[in-house]
Amino acid sequence: MSNGLYLRPKQEVETCLMPWLQTINPQLQFGVIDHENHFSVTSLPRYCTLESSPATGSYDAQDSPTMTCFSTNVIHESQISRLSRPSGQHYSPEDLNRSCVTEDRYELKLKLKELETVMLGPDSDRNDSYGSGFLIDPHATSPDSWIHIMDIIESRDLKQVLIACAEVMSNGDKWTTQWLLEELRQLVSVSGEPMQRLGAYMLEGFVARLASSGSSICKALKSKEPSCADLLSYLHILYEVCPYIKFGYMAANGAIAEAMKDESRVHIIDFQIGQGSQWVTLIQAFAARPGGPPHIRITGIDDSLSAYARGGGLSIVGWRLSKLAESFKVPFEFHAVPMSGSEVQRGDLRVRPGEALAVNFAFSLHQMPDESVSTENHRDRVLRLVRGLSPKVVTVIEQECNTNTAAFYPRFMETLDYYTAMFESLDVTLLRDHRDRIDVELHCLARDIVNLIACEGAERVERHELHGKWKLRLTMAGFSPSPLSALVNSTIKTLLKSYSEKYRLEERDGVLYLGWMARDLVAASAWKCS
């Protein structure tokens, strides 16, 4: 027998199950597969935090409501209390307002066991799924766990409800997951407290994962992006209101400037150049160098996403930087490589003899698939390729987060912890109901969160590693640490004075860590050839 409905007369199962299950979600419809004993889910509820697709895949994500449209299908506490009613008993309106938690917890436990007996039978070895892959399986969660879950829901502690949902989802209990998703919709808000806002995007990730539509959600988010001018504006706001990106750029530029202080020809390879804004201050610094500036050549690598934000190809970046360098009388060249960093080959980089080479990985390595995704292992391949170029300095800026090879539940917990700190830091700068903050979180952070929760395999592109793992990869590729100087450290400390005192800067073994309170968020390091 299975963890589904065992063979019982149709009427008995209908009597026991239909009133309760239909009340849990009016959009769940159960139909008889055969005329004897089986039921199937023919439709699933519709979610619309961002651009979610239904589990059945019966409508296009682009037709779904916007992120601010929330379902009104509320699971009232009274719905669970119906477990204790005899079959066929009348349900009065007053009953609907009673608490779901039976005063006698032992009695509730017995009623849950009775429901299991009705639904599962004495033998539960079969493994049937119904309809759209929605498995009716309350046996996957024990009565004790159900009592614990109901305690969490009673407390209305959003963080704990999120954790409970991730846990039952990781255990394959789609039935309890569906219930918790309905509860979560009543707790999240894109304009609420940091946990409520983060919860809204995590809920979208749960829904997409349950529907196996994670990649579709991410594509829908991309297709629904604002105009390039607006997206560029949101990225600029994020750059200004939080020091994370600025910190990374300053640390990398400081390491490059120090390594190239005596060089006359400098070639910088940037594996994700974006808008090219990182190099504005470095060109200015080189212009002020005693003895005159060096000749600078920048090779910019980038993908289509940044091209969309720019409103055009890499030629726009080259033109802007060329004009800047000209205004500061700095000899300058720009070479565009319009492709993903994972696709780069040595010939694309056009390294010339006589140039001092610097290679910059700013928030880019974590999106390169490693050995856990593909036998090509582009993450280590690119590092070995760069080592073969004999660079004078390599800079690595990455989020200090461990999500690469972690299984779903520990990955969820790491994502929750990391982005809680990120959203809290945004809260001290932008008002909760400020449209800019909502847009920044939606267009700059939401896709990453959904990707981390909903996607697996090659579809999950957000694969962060802690500095210790990057150190191992770089060492194996043939690099050794090049500690950042005290000047870089003091410059960044000065920068942080204009932000909240809850930001902290720590140096450990020559690596700089920027964090929010007790949580490290970004690590900056420099490397040289061994």
Side-chain angles (χ1 to χ4, degrees):
M1 299 295 290
S2 75
N3 289 336
L5 297 174
Y6 80 110
L7 301 181
R8 296 197 58 143
K10 167 188 166 187
Q11 293 82 1
E12 182 176 349
V13 177
E14 283 180 326
T15 302
C16 294
L17 297 183
M18 294 295 285
W20 181 50
L21 289 173
Q22 288 180 337
T23 306
I24 284 182
N25 190 331
Q27 295 187 20
L28 280 176
Q29 300 171 1
F30 292 80
V32 181
I33 293 179
D34 58 46
H35 296 290
E36 295 295 330
N37 44 59
H38 293 291
F39 287 83
S40 68
V41 176
T42 57
S43 67
L44 286 174
R46 176 168 174 156
Y47 293 87
C48 48
T49 306
L50 298 174
E51 298 290 345
S52 59
S53 303
T56 58
S58 60
Y59 70 94
D60 195 314
Q62 294 178 350
D63 296 329
S64 66
T66 63
M67 67 164 183
T68 56
C69 173
F70 294 97
S71 170
T72 57
N73 296 328
V74 182
I75 299 182
H76 296 286
E77 291 180 346
S78 61
Q79 293 162 353
I80 307 304
S81 67
R82 298 185 180 199
L83 290 173
S84 61
R85 292 193 176 278
S87 62
Q89 182 170 328
H90 174 68
Y91 295 88
S92 67
E94 291 78 9
D95 293 329
L96 297 177
N97 296 319
R98 294 178 183 174
S99 170
C100 71
V101 182
T102 304
E103 292 181 5
D104 187 337
R105 292 303 179 91
Y106 181 72
E107 178 186 353
L108 174 60
K109 193 172 178 179
L110 290 177
K111 296 301 180 183
L112 290 170
K113 293 300 288 184
E114 289 176 14
L115 178 65
E116 288 181 341
T117 301
V118 172
M119 297 183 72
L120 305 174
D123 186 359
S124 55
D125 294 331
R126 285 171 53 205
N127 186 23
D128 296 337
S129 59
Y130 301 87
S132 307
F134 187 85
L135 182 64
I136 304 176
D137 185 13
H139 189 65
T141 299
S142 68
D144 286 338
S145 296
W146 273 63
I147 292 172
H148 176 63
I149 289 171
M150 285 187 286
D151 285 339
I152 291 173
I153 291 174
E154 275 190 292
S155 72
R156 299 188 66 80
D157 185 330
L158 174 56
K159 181 176 181 179
Q160 294 305 315
V161 178
L162 286 167
I163 292 172
C165 189
E167 186 172 13
V168 297
M169 182 174 283
S170 68
N171 292 333
D173 185 352
K174 295 183 180 180
W175 193 87
T176 308
T177 298
Q178 182 71 23
W179 171 34
L180 287 172
L181 290 178
E182 292 285 355
E183 293 293 337
L184 281 171
R185 293 197 75 80
Q186 317 312 316
L187 301 177
V188 301
S189 168
V190 295
S191 59
E193 297 178 354
M195 186 57 67
Q196 289 179 299
R197 305 195 313 263
L198 174 57
Y201 303 122
M202 288 192 146
L203 171 61
E204 186 68 17
F206 286 149
V207 173
R209 185 178 182 87
L210 188 65
S212 300
S213 62
S215 61
S216 298
I217 296 298
C218 292
K219 290 175 183 176
L221 284 171
K222 185 174 180 179
S223 68
K224 289 291 186 178
E225 280 182 345
S227 67
C228 58
D230 287 340
L231 182 56
L232 185 58
S233 173
Y234 304 147
L235 292 169
H236 179 72
I237 292 171
L238 181 62
Y239 179 83
E240 291 297 332
V241 301
C242 292
Y244 307 120
I245 300 174
K246 197 176 295 185
F247 156 78
Y249 286 176
M250 290 181 68
N253 287 356
I256 293 171
E258 186 169 345
M260 303 297 179
K261 60 184 179 182
D262 298 321
E263 301 294 338
S264 59
R265 300 187 69 85
V266 175
H267 181 189
I268 300 171
I269 298 174
D270 187 346
F271 266 81
Q272 190 167 308
I273 197 166
Q275 312 304 317
S277 55
Q278 176 175 350
W279 308 117
V280 172
T281 56
L282 186 62
I283 289 173
Q284 293 171 338
F286 276 135
R289 193 177 73 173
H295 179 281
I296 300 175
R297 185 159 68 98
I298 293 180
T299 293
I301 302 165
D302 215 349
D303 56 21
S304 59
L305 178 60
S306 292
Y308 176 83
R310 283 190 301 267
L314 286 169
S315 59
I316 295 175
V317 178
W319 181 83
R320 290 172 180 165
L321 293 178
S322 295
K323 288 297 183 182
L324 176 71
E326 182 181 353
S327 67
F328 283 94
K329 296 182 172 56
V330 176
F332 183 82
E333 290 181 64
F334 184 82
H335 170 51
V337 182
M339 64 178 66
S340 165
S342 298
E343 301 171 340
V344 171
Q345 302 293 330
R346 181 171 182 143
D348 299 319
L349 303 176
R350 300 183 186 177
V351 175
R352 300 171 185 168
E355 293 179 328
L357 181 64
V359 179
N360 183 60
F361 293 105
F363 306 103
S364 59
L365 276 174
H366 75 271
Q367 292 188 336
M368 296 185 186
D370 71 343
E371 67 279 4
S372 68
V373 180
S374 168
T375 55
E376 294 177 297
N377 188 5
H378 291 296
R379 189 169 296 194
D380 289 329
R381 180 191 69 81
V382 168
L383 290 177
R384 291 193 299 270
L385 182 155
V386 169
R387 176 60 182 84
L389 302 176
S390 300
K392 192 163 187 182
V393 63
V394 173
T395 52
V396 176
I397 314 299
E398 279 294 344
Q399 293 163 260
E400 187 68 356
C401 190
N402 185 22
T403 63
N404 182 24
T405 58
F408 169 69
Y409 183 70
R411 183 170 78 242
F412 164 81
M413 293 298 293
E414 178 75 350
T415 303
L416 177 64
D417 187 60
Y418 185 91
Y419 281 96
T420 295
M422 180 75 75
F423 275 60
E424 286 178 353
S425 68
L426 281 169
D427 212 44
V428 302
T429 310
L430 293 173
L431 296 176
R432 290 178 183 175
D433 59 351
H434 198 293
R435 186 68 227 182
D436 284 346
R437 186 201 49 69
I438 296 173
D439 287 332
V440 165
E441 291 173 352
L442 173 62
H443 298 298
C444 301
L445 302 176
R447 186 193 296 106
D448 294 352
I449 295 168
V450 172
N451 185 262
L452 281 163
I453 292 176
C455 298
E456 297 293 347
E459 292 181 341
R460 182 159 62 83
V461 297
E462 298 299 320
R463 292 180 167 273
H464 309 96
E465 294 183 318
L466 299 175
H467 175 75
K469 188 59 182 288
W470 292 121
K471 181 178 180 179
L472 179 61
R473 290 186 186 278
L474 285 153
T475 301
M476 291 178 64
F479 294 100
S480 58
S482 179
L484 295 170
S485 68
L487 177 60
V488 173
N489 195 327
S490 63
T491 302
I492 295 174
K493 283 183 177 178
T494 301
L495 164 72
L496 292 181
K497 289 180 180 179
S498 59
Y499 292 91
S500 170
E501 61 183 13
K502 293 182 180 180
Y503 288 107
R504 60 175 179 78
L505 183 69
E506 288 188 12
E507 180 183 359
R508 302 195 292 271
D509 299 324
V511 180
L512 286 181
Y513 296 86
L514 177 63
W516 174 259
M517 300 178 68
R519 170 77 204 210
D520 290 332
L521 293 175
V522 182
S525 59
W527 303 81
K528 59 186 178 182
C529 295
S530 299

